[in-house]
Amino acid sequence: PRDAAVSGASEVATAIVASTITTLVIFLPLIFVRGVTGLLFRDLAYVILFALVCSLLVSLSLVPMLASKLLSGGRTDEPAEEEPRRRGPAAAFFHALDEVYRDLLRLVLRQRLLTTFVSAAALFGSLLLLPRIGTEFLPPSDEGEVRVTGEMEVGTRLELVDRQTRILERAVEEAVPERVASIVTVQSDEETEGEIQLSLPPASTRDRSNTEVAAELRRRLEGTIAGMEIRTRAPQGQFLMQRVLGTEEGITVDVRGFELATLDALAAKVAEGIADVPGVTDVEITRKAGTPQHEIRIDRDKIADLGLSVRDVTRALATAVAGSRAGEFRSQGNSYRILVQLEDAERRSLDEILDLTLQTGDGEQVALRNLVDVVRSSGPLEIARKDQQRVATVTANVAGRDLGSVAADVQVRLDRIPRPASYDLSVAGTFEEQERSFDDLFRSLLLALVLVYMVLACQYESLVDPLVVMLSVPVAAVGVLVTLFLTDTTLNVQSTIGCIMLGGIVVNNAILLVDQAARLRREGRTTDDAVAEAGRRRLRPILMTTLTTILALLPLAFGVGEGADAQAPMARAVVGGLTGSSLITLVLIPAVYSMVHRERRSRTRSAPAESA
């Protein structure tokens, strides 16, 4: 056992080190990813890096030692083919499986081009599924919360908003019997609305998801509360965007320009244009009409005829409303400022203020209303800017479709809307962060693959064998795309991280095959014999490592447990990609390796004849 442990560890040490380092370098680029994606996965990368380093040390030291102490030695005097039968039916089954795989490899090696063509056709066919797989930023997750908002006209009295919100609250309570708690908020300042936040029990204990509850409320409450525009939303586990991005899930369209009136008009066209896009609900323009106000415009001609100035009129208005300093009162060494103001100014109506009089140069009294014109208008609640441009935002919820497909349809509608020069319409918010994250992750994947190739090139001291090994990476897309399509899973940040992880995992099987084949070729075997024997010897380790990874991720891929559906896309991508890549790699890598080393094999065969 001791000699077997030393020999076995030394035989696979090269392959183990190479496979571990390739997995390590996959996670290095994730440490430097910025934005929300970096916040989500940087700690994951640190944990996996540390765990892999520890596992490598254990596998090359502790495991061989324990194997030498705990494993019993076999009988050395019996034939090798008798040992599996002596150990039982399981060992006999795997021994027969090894032999079947070796025979399959011999058949594959006679049909190298056909094998390569079938693998390429499978990859091309899976890419046809890509347009049918939706995209979004983060996978949806049932948070157990539903929000209902009833918006009223700006300037509505708080008492009226509160009364209508109470009616809305009773209607919501009747429609959602499974609620466990609710919070009601009423405001009448920047936003004139009442909002109800419903907390639902865990998803496993109720019959309806929060999206189904929101859809039912939207249907039942529409047009039922006088003066209120009802909107419902079911948060889908993307609360991080509200904290980091300052936005909520859904579609956001930025209308950029300068003139506020033009921005309002364009925003109205955008809201009307995207309202009927499939999947779009609850369209809202975040820039409100503003608070009702009166503009007092001074008639300069009249005051000039009366011998007054603009300053006289404005000072009278300012004194009446805000007060003005009229001097100081001194008493016993103390000084007190004198402020003159209309009594109860905050309760006075505009008519009462305009009834005040001014004395002209001739000593006559003239009312302020005769010197000014009053125009009703509305003042902006706020002027928002983005990238130093004024912006009006149109938001909408997304229901029943993925964010990427809805954003593409919305962009088509935006392209049809005419706009003045220097005005721009763009899809922003969550979709903007999604595109930025996908770009960062794609660059991370490319960098990771370059690092994997460099590690393999150093390990094999060859530029060709690493390319053979890395053929297992693109064929992993077959399993990924088929799995995402069959499970109706979108391509999001989580599933993209799974694809990056695959770049370091799927090469392990090819490393085992190529490393063993190269070792046998150095012992003097022909390429075909070396590849077939390497497959027979390495089939069981490949199956063991692949199945342990797949079985460990299956509970997460099925979304078992609260909150697991948020991580399920990553597990599904890894399980699907590893399964598909393993099945294809077991035949593709031997065929390509044999083709790459075909000329070298021919020279090896002709060498004895030349020497003779």
Side-chain angles (χ1 to χ4, degrees), residues 554-565 568 572:
L554 277 181
L556 188 59
F558 288 138
V560 178
E562 290 294 329
D565 48 356
R572 291 169 187 165

Side-chain angles (χ1 to χ4, degrees), residues 1 13-14 16 38 53 63 98 101 131 154 202 222 244 292 294 383 401 476:
T14 303
I16 290 177
V53 171
V63 172
D98 293 341
Y101 178 54
V154 177
E222 185 176 2
V244 179
H294 291 86
I383 299 177
R401 293 184 68 193

Side-chain angles (χ1 to χ4, degrees), residues 146-221:
V146 175
R147 299 180 185 178
V148 182
T149 303
E151 184 178 356
M152 303 189 72
E153 290 291 335
V154 177
T156 306
R157 297 194 313 276
L158 183 62
E159 296 82 2
L160 180 57
V161 178
D162 179 61
R163 187 181 68 186
Q164 297 303 96
T165 303
R166 292 179 183 274
I167 299 175
L168 176 63
E169 183 181 6
R170 289 193 293 269
V172 169
E173 290 177 353
E174 294 175 0
V176 189
E178 59 262 53
R179 73 189 185 285
V180 295
S182 61
I183 300 176
V184 183
T185 305
V186 180
Q187 58 179 344
S188 180
D189 41 24
E190 294 185 358
E191 299 285 345
T192 306
E193 63 183 20
E195 183 182 59
I196 303 174
Q197 299 183 23
L198 299 175
S199 296
L200 306 177
S204 58
T205 61
R206 47 186 160 90
D207 298 329
R208 298 188 296 177
S209 65
N210 64 340
T211 56
E212 292 173 339
V213 172
E216 177 65 15
L217 285 173
R218 187 180 297 113
R219 184 186 63 83
R220 295 184 59 170
L221 297 177

Side-chain angles (χ1 to χ4, degrees), residues 499-519:
C499 294
I500 294 177
M501 294 172 61
L502 281 173
I505 296 175
V506 297
V507 297
N508 295 341
N509 297 338
I511 289 174
L512 290 175
L513 288 173
V514 171
D515 181 76
Q516 184 64 30
R519 187 182 297 271

Side-chain angles (χ1 to χ4, degrees), residues 10 32 125 160 162 193 225 296 454 474 517 584 594 612:
S10 61
F32 305 102
L160 180 57
D162 179 61
E193 63 183 20
I225 310 297
I296 299 178
M454 294 170 63
I584 299 176
S594 177

Side-chain angles (χ1 to χ4, degrees), residues 32-92:
F32 305 102
V33 174
R34 299 169 297 177
V36 178
T37 306
L39 294 176
L40 286 173
F41 299 106
R42 189 172 292 117
D43 292 340
L44 173 67
Y46 284 133
V47 170
I48 294 180
L49 289 173
F50 182 77
L52 286 175
V53 171
C54 294
S55 69
L56 177 62
L57 297 177
V58 170
S59 64
L60 294 179
S61 58
L62 181 62
V63 172
M65 185 273 291
L66 293 177
S68 66
K69 300 294 184 182
L70 301 179
L71 297 182
S72 60
R75 292 168 52 189
T76 60
D77 58 343
E78 63 179 349
E81 61 270 11
E82 295 296 329
E83 183 180 355
R85 298 172 186 164
R86 180 180 60 82
R87 291 189 176 182

